[in-house]
Amino acid sequence: MWSGRSSFTSLVVGVFVVYVVHTCWVMYGIVYTRPCSGDANCIQPYLARRPKLQLSVYTTTRSSLGAENNVDLVLNVEDFDVESKFERTVNVSVPKKTRNNGTLYAYIFLHHAGILPWHDGKQVHLISPLTTYMIPKPEEINLLTGESAAQQQIEAEKKPSNALDEPVSHWRPRLTLNVMVDDFVFDGSSLPADVHRYMKMIQLGKTVHYLPILFIDQLSNRVKDLMVINRSTTELPLTVSYDKISLGRLRFWIHMQDAVYSLQQFGFSEKDADEVKGIFVDTNLYLLALTFFVAAFHLLFDFLAFKNDISFWKKKKSMIGMSTKAVLWRCFSTVVIFLFLLDEQTSLLVLIPAGIGAAIELWKVKKALKMTVTWRGLRPVFQFGTHSESERKTEKYDAQAMKYLSYLLYPLCVGGAVYSLLNIKYKSWYSWLINSFVNGVYAFGFLFMLPQLFVNYKMKSVAHLPWKAFTYKAFNTFIDDVFAFIITMPTSHRLACFRDDVVFLVYLYQRWAVLLEWEVAELKSITTTDRVLRARNRLELVCVTVPG
């Protein structure tokens, strides 16, 4: 009979397997579309007739198109070839309304050559905003002199007075267009819902045709490319790029854009959604598929690591063999990293796990110090438990390791903080303080693992460590190495992922060394008589098991 804990873990793994299989099935359904098998109720592609097309891009401040005299033509591609890729940069005139924190829209028409889009009954068009609203990034200054870079001063003069408090209009300098070029015949009775909303159908004789499917790739609009629209700006560059797209990739991209839109509806900011966009846009499609599976395993190992870590510390009654200083440092560093990521406005994909980890580390400190909190009215009273002789022995080794470590660590951290204050610009004193702490954590944090290694060496044991949780965290550490190149995060946080690999390998070496030492000691304790008896027993066993 399985134990409750094993049953729960098996249930979680089972649910995870079902989730992965279901995801694979859904992805297959997105990429593969069943074509029309008969002549009845089939919808033919209009592009198969090879019409001469023209691409026109207009701009206007109105979200709904009224008359043609309210628009400005910014790009006109005659003899447009849907198979040919191109990229062109044009200068767009910015209306006064847009400069005064307004909006600007692009109308993209795909119509027959030589005919104005308003007079073409077989034209297709889409609308895309060329502006978005965001709160500008705070200006960074030298905290000692109060001076900023010359360019930042110029930008500050151009910004409205409320630019740091309220969202202002930003320019999207890229417009990415696609046309589905597959000569695919759809079944009218089972049209995919995702593509259906982009389709415009016409009747030609007895056959129904669908006009070219035009698509705007909104995932290519990144926050890092946005430009603040100032009151003095009269023209801004717009890069219009075009490439053909297959039906499978089009359906996949539509689902990804819908997922990003859903995130924003659930409260994700433009910057948070941008991190998800980066995964899709900046990653090869096959690597992206691998990323989905890696992310699923990361979620599973995260859950199992948290579960085993909490179970280990929940049952922990003694700190024998455990470095209290290492627990305190791990708590401090985790909280500092969380505050740093919060100050840097990092993606929620990184911020939420960091916050959960910080809460767990605070709880571990309470267990390690045997702390109990009682309330006398509104005033908390902290009480600490007593330590046994073995625990005091562990504390002695712990303090000895920290004494020598502090001679190296503290000067490095203070020196790094002073250097950054003199040479690097920050938004505020709080930002400098958090950055100084986190740089010390990232650069020299691995040194604080030495007290635990020293205690392990002195105690000649590694049995007191939570090895199950360590194993799951190790798997996640190697997965983090992959995510370090995919998800946008501070460079120091990215380097820390590889630092954790080294720490875990040191723990593995120590475990192997301690086990090897035990085996050698056991062999030395065996007497000559014991050796003869064990050899004789092995010989008798061989004689019994060998036939004849």
Side-chain angles (χ1 to χ4, degrees), residues 173-351:
R174 175 169 287 276
L175 182 63
T176 304
L177 308 175
N178 303 110
V179 173
M180 200 277 289
V181 296
D182 294 351
D183 290 336
F184 189 84
V185 180
F186 286 96
D187 187 346
S189 60
S190 59
L191 278 175
D194 44 25
V195 181
H196 191 196
R197 67 177 187 262
Y198 288 91
M199 295 177 67
K200 181 179 178 181
M201 285 162 281
I202 58 173
Q203 184 84 30
L204 297 177
K206 296 182 179 180
T207 309
V208 178
H209 289 73
Y210 65 91
L211 295 175
I213 299 177
L214 181 63
F215 177 71
I216 301 176
D217 182 7
Q218 301 288 2
L219 296 179
S220 61
N221 293 321
R222 303 297 307 280
V223 170
K224 63 183 180 181
D225 299 326
L226 295 180
M227 304 163 59
V228 178
I229 300 177
N230 303 305
R231 286 193 173 97
S232 59
T233 303
T234 57
E235 284 189 347
L236 285 170
L238 177 65
T239 300
V240 181
S241 60
Y242 167 79
D243 197 5
K244 62 182 180 181
I245 191 171
S246 64
L247 176 60
R249 188 179 181 91
L250 172 66
R251 295 190 62 195
F252 179 77
W253 235 236
I254 292 174
H255 279 270
M256 294 307 103
Q257 287 194 171
D258 290 345
V260 172
Y261 177 76
S262 298
L263 289 177
Q264 292 175 315
Q265 296 303 305
F266 279 113
F268 277 62
S269 66
E270 179 87 15
K271 189 175 187 303
D272 294 326
D274 185 70
E275 307 298 342
V276 182
K277 289 181 183 180
I279 298 176
F280 299 133
V281 177
D282 300 337
T283 308
N284 179 275
L285 192 59
Y286 295 104
L287 183 59
L288 180 61
L290 176 63
T291 303
F292 277 118
F293 290 103
V294 168
F297 279 102
H298 193 285
L299 184 63
L300 175 66
F301 291 139
D302 255 339
F303 173 79
L304 293 176
F306 282 143
K307 171 185 171 294
N308 282 277
D309 206 20
I310 292 173
S311 299
F312 174 84
W313 282 94
K314 190 175 181 181
K315 295 183 296 184
K316 193 74 174 173
K317 303 298 181 183
S318 170
M319 285 297 292
I320 298 175
M322 297 291 293
S323 171
T324 305
K325 301 291 190 304
V327 175
L328 289 170
W329 166 252
R330 198 156 47 239
C331 175
F332 171 77
S333 60
T334 306
V335 171
V336 165
I337 289 173
F338 172 72
L339 294 176
F340 168 69
L341 296 175
L342 192 63
D343 183 63
E344 291 288 319
Q345 299 179 347
T346 306
S347 168
L348 291 176
L349 299 173
V350 179
L351 192 62

Side-chain angles (χ1 to χ4, degrees), residues 92-198:
V92 178
S93 178
V94 182
K96 184 177 179 181
K97 182 179 178 181
T98 304
R99 296 199 300 267
N100 292 329
N101 212 23
T103 57
L104 191 66
Y105 297 92
Y107 280 76
I108 303 96
F109 289 91
L110 187 59
H111 55 98
H112 285 87
I115 306 176
L116 289 175
W118 291 272
H119 303 153
D120 187 4
K122 298 183 181 66
Q123 57 85 15
V124 292
H125 72 274
L126 289 175
I127 307 171
S128 177
L130 296 177
T131 57
T132 186
Y133 287 95
M134 283 189 62
I135 297 177
K137 186 178 179 181
E139 182 183 1
E140 294 181 348
I141 62 174
N142 188 300
L143 297 175
L144 294 180
T145 63
E147 296 179 354
S148 61
Q151 184 63 31
Q152 289 178 325
Q153 286 183 339
I154 295 174
E155 293 296 328
E157 292 173 0
K158 294 181 180 179
K159 290 178 185 176
S161 59
N162 61 347
L164 295 180
D165 301 320
E166 298 179 3
V168 298
S169 188
H170 285 66
W171 178 255
R172 290 176 170 173
R174 175 169 287 276
L175 182 63
T176 304
L177 308 175
N178 303 110
V179 173
M180 200 277 289
V181 296
D182 294 351
D183 290 336
F184 189 84
V185 180
F186 286 96
D187 187 346
S189 60
S190 59
L191 278 175
D194 44 25
V195 181
H196 191 196
R197 67 177 187 262
Y198 288 91

Side-chain angles (χ1 to χ4, degrees), residues 446-518:
F446 70 96
L447 296 177
F448 271 91
M449 304 307 296
L450 297 180
Q452 183 63 63
L453 298 175
F454 186 74
V455 170
N456 295 344
Y457 172 74
K458 286 292 188 180
M459 301 290 291
K460 304 297 182 184
S461 173
V462 292
H464 43 268
L465 298 177
W467 281 104
K468 273 191 176 181
F470 272 5
T471 303
Y472 292 128
K473 287 181 180 179
F475 285 131
N476 263 357
T477 297
F478 297 126
I479 292 175
D480 286 339
D481 297 343
V482 178
F483 273 101
F485 295 101
I486 297 177
I487 293 182
T488 304
M489 62 181 70
T491 304
S492 52
H493 192 73
R494 181 172 288 142
L495 293 176
C497 296
F498 300 100
R499 181 205 69 192
D500 293 339
D501 298 343
V502 178
V503 172
F504 181 72
L505 291 176
V506 172
Y507 272 123
L508 283 182
Y509 169 77
Q510 195 167 52
R511 179 183 174 90
W512 171 81
V514 170
L515 292 176
L516 181 63
E517 190 173 345
W518 283 354

Side-chain angles (χ1 to χ4, degrees), residues 398-414:
D398 197 13
Q400 185 179 353
M402 281 300 302
K403 175 183 176 183
Y404 298 110
L405 187 60
S406 63
Y407 296 154
L408 173 66
L409 188 65
Y410 297 153
L412 289 175
C413 291
V414 172

